Amino acid sequence: MKEVKLESKLFVYENLEELPSDVSDLMEKAMLARTRAYAPYSNFQVGAALLLDNGEVVTGNNQENASYPSGLCAERTAIYYAGAQYPDAKIVCMTISATAINAPTSKPIPPCGACRQAMVEYEIKQDEPIEIYFMGEMGAVAKSDSVLNLLPYVFDKSVLF
Ligand code: THU
């Protein structure tokens, strides 16, 4: 028996002002998308913005449904839209902002496990890391250098063949 350690590393910025300006611009797009989320059941709004290597910015937000499991998270709404519209483009950076409508949070809200799995598919496909910055409604912003860093010991296509 041997022990295997899995490691992840995050960088935490104190606030938006500490971010490089291109990243804070992209975060503002995620924040705007967040305010347009359709989240009447959870009252928890999430917005995501993707910068592609062709210069396009794609945004998404959570879309809920009376049949709860039919809804979709912001990150997957955005990443699937990018995959559908720009199949050959690489995703350079993703920003995420999330908060409960009635309880604004100032702590970084990380993407859920299902979204990490969806995101890592595209990171592996493009063979380039996707930088991810995530925050609440205000305050600190966490950064991961890649999706894989948020999802170590990943289930990917290599196990299927
Ligand atoms: N949600 C996201 O949009 N992204 C996540 O990573 C986690 C959760 C959404 C799903 C649902 O509409 C609401 O937040 C509460 O879970």
Side-chain angles (χ1 to χ4, degrees), residues 38-39 42-47 61-65 68 71-77 96 98 109-116:
Y38 177 60
S42 70
N43 285 320
F44 189 80
Q45 294 187 313
V46 187
N61 46 33
N62 50 329
Q63 296 293 319
E64 297 187 348
N65 194 283
Y68 293 1
L72 195 64
C73 291
E75 296 87 335
R76 277 176 284 166
T77 302
I96 305 164
I109 308 290
C112 77
C115 286
R116 294 180 203 195

Side-chain angles (χ1 to χ4, degrees), residues 2-159:
K2 63 176 179 177
E3 185 179 293
V4 179
K5 275 216 175 95
L6 305 174
E7 279 193 348
S8 289
K9 187 169 67 176
L10 288 179
F11 301 90
V12 181
Y13 297 80
E14 251 175 65
N15 50 43
L16 272 181
E17 289 69 50
E18 219 193 313
L19 292 174
S21 65
D22 55 331
V23 178
S24 67
D25 289 352
L26 194 64
M27 185 60 87
E28 271 167 21
K29 293 191 167 107
M31 293 167 115
L32 179 62
R34 189 196 72 225
T35 64
R36 297 173 176 158
Y38 177 60
Y41 304 106
S42 70
N43 285 320
F44 189 80
Q45 294 187 313
V46 187
L50 302 177
L51 173 66
L52 309 183
D53 68 348
N54 62 10
E56 294 286 341
V57 172
V58 168
T59 62
N61 46 33
N62 50 329
Q63 296 293 319
E64 297 187 348
N65 194 283
S67 172
Y68 293 1
S70 298
L72 195 64
C73 291
E75 296 87 335
R76 277 176 284 166
T77 302
I79 211 150
Y80 290 149
Y81 183 84
Q85 295 298 318
Y86 305 103
D88 301 323
K90 293 186 178 187
I91 301 161
V92 179
C93 183
M94 180 171 200
T95 54
I96 305 164
S97 170
T99 191
I101 294 173
N102 301 322
T105 180
S106 53
K107 68 174 186 199
I109 308 290
C112 77
C115 286
R116 294 180 203 195
Q117 183 69 35
M119 288 151 65
V120 85
E121 180 74 24
Y122 294 89
E123 184 169 272
I124 291 167
K125 173 181 168 241
Q126 70 182 35
D127 200 22
E128 298 262 359
I130 303 172
E131 289 186 346
I132 305 161
Y133 294 82
F134 51 94
M135 67 181 296
E137 183 172 325
M138 60 212 146
V141 182
K143 179 203 178 189
S144 170
D145 281 339
S146 69
V147 186
L148 208 49
N149 175 59
L150 293 177
L151 193 63
Y153 205 49
V154 70
F155 180 96
D156 67 4
K157 65 180 179 186
S158 68
V159 306

